[in-house]
Amino acid sequence: MQVISINKHNYKVNIEKSERKTIAIQLVAPYALKIKLPLQISNNEIKTILLKKAKWIYNKNQIILKNESIHINQNIEFDSLILFKGELIKISPYHNNSISTIFLDQNQLYINSKNKQEIAREIKAWYIKEALSYLNERNIFWCKKMNLKINRLTIKEQKTCWGSCSSKKNINYNWRIIMAPLSVIDYLIIHELSHLIHLNHSADFWDHVAFYCPNYKDERNWLKKNSYILSSLFSK
């Protein structure tokens, strides 16, 4: 861990080096960065790399600070606000001691639990169940529309990767995408299904995505801009 000054602000920087070819920078918390680098890049070069991305880092940091100030996806307790399909919902108590249940009604997620750990466990399970159901439903829809078939759909626990497609036609999705707006979820599905035809990010791939999702750049930008919010829940 290093502390690097960028535009008069000190950032904690977690450095990961591996046999990769590209550089990846992620803002993981206010004033906290993770940078993944090829092995040959020296530590002295890291500050230069980050300074070139100073504007992007500043904007991302401001977004995180703003989101934390309004407490979206920050806590798992009664009256907390969390995201579901792009909408804010409030965690609310459901007073019925005879049953253990969790259900959504008019932007209120009711849960019959008192223990904080139990609330978190049940809400996470609810998210995963809803993600599996909805993503499976939309995959079937888009497969028919795009005349494609997949081998298997899997919901995974991931922090930064939203989806993937293998050469065996297996599709993986991060369950956290169920927090995003429906249009963003559709974009992600179209993106991964398009990899069944183009296992790359070539111009032909993006043309194929654009055919089914003309506003894909807006949806992709939303996901890039708000990825921290979706990843922050259950991260502590």
Side-chain angles (χ1 to χ4, degrees), residues 18 27 34-35 41 64 73 84 95 109 119-120 134 146 161 207 209-210 213 233-234:
S18 64
L27 206 70
K34 178 189 286 186
I35 182 167
I41 294 180
I64 290 175
N73 273 21
F84 179 66
H95 301 294
L109 184 64
I119 292 171
Y134 187 74
M146 299 167 75
C161 180
D207 286 344
V209 172
C213 185
L233 200 62
F234 304 106

Side-chain angles (χ1 to χ4, degrees), residues 142-143 145-148 187 189-214 216:
W142 283 111
C143 279
K145 202 169 185 66
M146 299 167 75
N147 195 28
L148 296 169
Y187 153 69
I189 293 170
I190 292 166
H191 181 120
E192 298 309 333
L193 291 179
S194 294
H195 279 311
L196 295 172
I197 300 171
H198 305 283
L199 269 175
N200 51 47
H201 288 106
S202 63
D204 289 340
F205 167 82
W206 288 115
D207 286 344
H208 193 265
V209 172
F211 182 82
Y212 293 99
C213 185
Y216 81 87

